[in-house]
């Protein structure tokens, strides 16, 4: 589904990504871990061109999205993204947050879009919040709505950038549960997280990044119990 080759991203003199190669298969859950500042967010943001790579190629479903001729807006509709800070539209109700993109970009009727929203709200366990506004929700509820909003476009891949890092501890589980269900239903996911329990339980593959490169990757059981590189061992020693 994703094929990333020799991805580089520089901000002026700062080299943040230094040659990333990665493939993500359909239905795979890839968990990206690594220290703060290692380029995890920049990597995710490059995948849907929120950041324009300095060099390298990203193929998504057989289309080169780094090719300037590619209609990136069409591609982005197939990629859902969930951020640490939720990024809900504060002036819109939960329902309108979810229906905005399908109505504008998929030409859904109000009724069609509302039905989709109702299905998704049921899926994330928040059916009773359709008419609420974001500031009336807890952090965990906001993030579940952000996930529902991303799903409303029926994406082929979901990108998560530390979706539980801004949450109070008691709300982390409800968001991870929604993500677990998504994974079980076969969604292709790239998840940046510090939740090592989630990585172990749900991840098909763990990728350890440091200094803008992939230091090592493999099945969670292998990377967590038998890390090959000193840098990985050091990082896991701090977070496990
Ligand atoms: P991580 O998500 O692993 O913590 P980031 O990708 O956010 O790492 O950041 C990696 C490095 O890139 C950091 O040094 C950060 O300051 C820098 N960086 C990220 N975005 C920008 C930007 N838009 N302009 C300049 N530097 C940036
Ligand atoms: Mg980050």
């Amino acid at each position: 589904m994703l094929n990333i080759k020799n991805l580089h991203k520089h901000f002026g003199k700062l080299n943040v990504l230094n040659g990333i190669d990665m493939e993500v298969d359909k239905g795979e859950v890839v968990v990206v871990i690594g220290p703060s500042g290692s380029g995890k967010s920049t990597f995710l943001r490059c995948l849907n061109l929120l950041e324009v790579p300095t060099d390298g190629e990203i193929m998504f479903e057989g289309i080169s999205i780094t090719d300037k001729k590619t209609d990136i807006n069409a591609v982005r509709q197939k990629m859902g993204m969930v951020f640490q800070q939720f990024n809900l539209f504060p002036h819109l109700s939960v329902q309108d947050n979810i229906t905005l993109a399908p109505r504008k970009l998929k030409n859904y009727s109000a009724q069609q879009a509302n039905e989709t929203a109702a299905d998704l709200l049921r899926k994330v366990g928040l059916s009773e919040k359709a008419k609420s506004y974001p500031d009336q929700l807890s952090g965990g509820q906001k993030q579940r709505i952000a996930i529902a909003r991303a799903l409303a476009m029926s994406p082929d891949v979901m990108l998560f950038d530390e979706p539980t890092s801004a949450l109070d501890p008691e709300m982390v589980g409800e968001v991870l549960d929604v993500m677990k269900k998504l994974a079980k239903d076969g969604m292709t996911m790239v998840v940046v997280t510090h939740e090592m329990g989630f990585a172990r339980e749900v991840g098909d593959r763990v990728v350890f990044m440091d200094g803008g490169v992939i230091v090592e990757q493999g099945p969670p059981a292998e990377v967590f119990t038998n890390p090959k590189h000193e840098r990985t061992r050091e990082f896991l020693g701090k977070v496990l």
Side-chain angles (χ1 to χ4, degrees), residues 35 208 210 215-216 223 226-238:
F208 173 63
D210 196 11
V215 175
E216 76 176 277
V223 174
N226 201 3
K228 292 188 184 62
H229 289 263
E230 180 54 35
R231 276 198 280 174
T232 319
R233 277 194 285 273
E234 194 187 315
F235 174 75
L236 291 175
K238 284 180 198 152

Side-chain angles (χ1 to χ4, degrees), residues 24-209:
V24 180
D25 290 333
K26 188 167 157 51
E28 199 179 14
V29 178
V30 176
V31 177
V32 180
I33 61 172
S36 178
S38 57
K40 304 180 300 296
S41 294
T42 303
F43 171 66
L44 269 198
R45 293 167 62 81
C46 280
L47 293 185
N48 59 8
L49 257 48
L50 285 178
E51 299 287 357
V52 179
T54 308
D55 198 7
E57 183 173 52
I58 301 168
M59 301 283 291
F60 174 58
E61 299 183 325
I63 296 169
S64 170
I65 66 168
T66 34
D67 183 335
K68 291 199 172 53
K69 292 193 283 286
T70 301
D71 175 5
I72 187 59
N73 288 319
V75 171
R76 277 199 192 119
Q77 293 184 23
K78 296 266 124 206
M79 299 176 142
M81 185 142 183
V82 175
F83 303 89
Q84 187 176 335
Q85 296 297 342
F86 327 125
N87 296 1
L88 294 175
F89 305 116
H91 59 294
L92 295 182
S93 69
V94 161
Q95 177 171 275
D96 290 344
N97 263 278
I98 297 172
T99 57
L100 183 70
R103 292 194 65 181
K104 284 217 153 91
L105 302 171
K106 287 192 176 237
N107 295 319
Y108 276 24
S109 68
Q111 193 195 339
Q112 242 178 332
N114 288 344
E115 280 170 11
T116 306
D119 284 345
L120 289 167
L121 284 172
R122 212 172 301 123
K123 199 165 182 169
V124 300
L126 290 171
S127 292
E128 73 287 4
K129 298 293 184 190
K131 303 291 176 196
S132 301
Y133 282 79
D135 67 2
Q136 299 169 315
L137 303 175
S138 71
Q141 291 171 338
K142 278 184 211 170
Q143 196 58 300
R144 284 145 71 197
I145 297 300
I147 293 171
R149 181 178 63 174
L151 291 173
M153 289 298 289
S154 318
D156 290 342
V157 60
M158 286 282 286
L159 310 174
F160 292 88
D161 192 0
E162 298 200 33
T164 60
S165 293
L167 300 178
D168 291 334
E170 75 270 24
M171 294 172 187
V172 169
E174 65 195 60
V175 172
L176 293 180
D177 283 345
V178 167
M179 293 168 64
K180 273 180 215 170
K181 234 189 315 175
L182 258 187
K184 217 168 134 216
D185 290 345
M187 179 60 78
T188 309
M189 296 164 55
V190 182
V191 184
V192 175
T193 187
H194 296 293
E195 291 294 328
M196 298 299 152
F198 176 86
R200 212 182 254 274
E201 190 185 334
V202 184
D204 295 305
R205 180 155 44 109
V206 170
V207 172
F208 173 63
M209 267 180 77

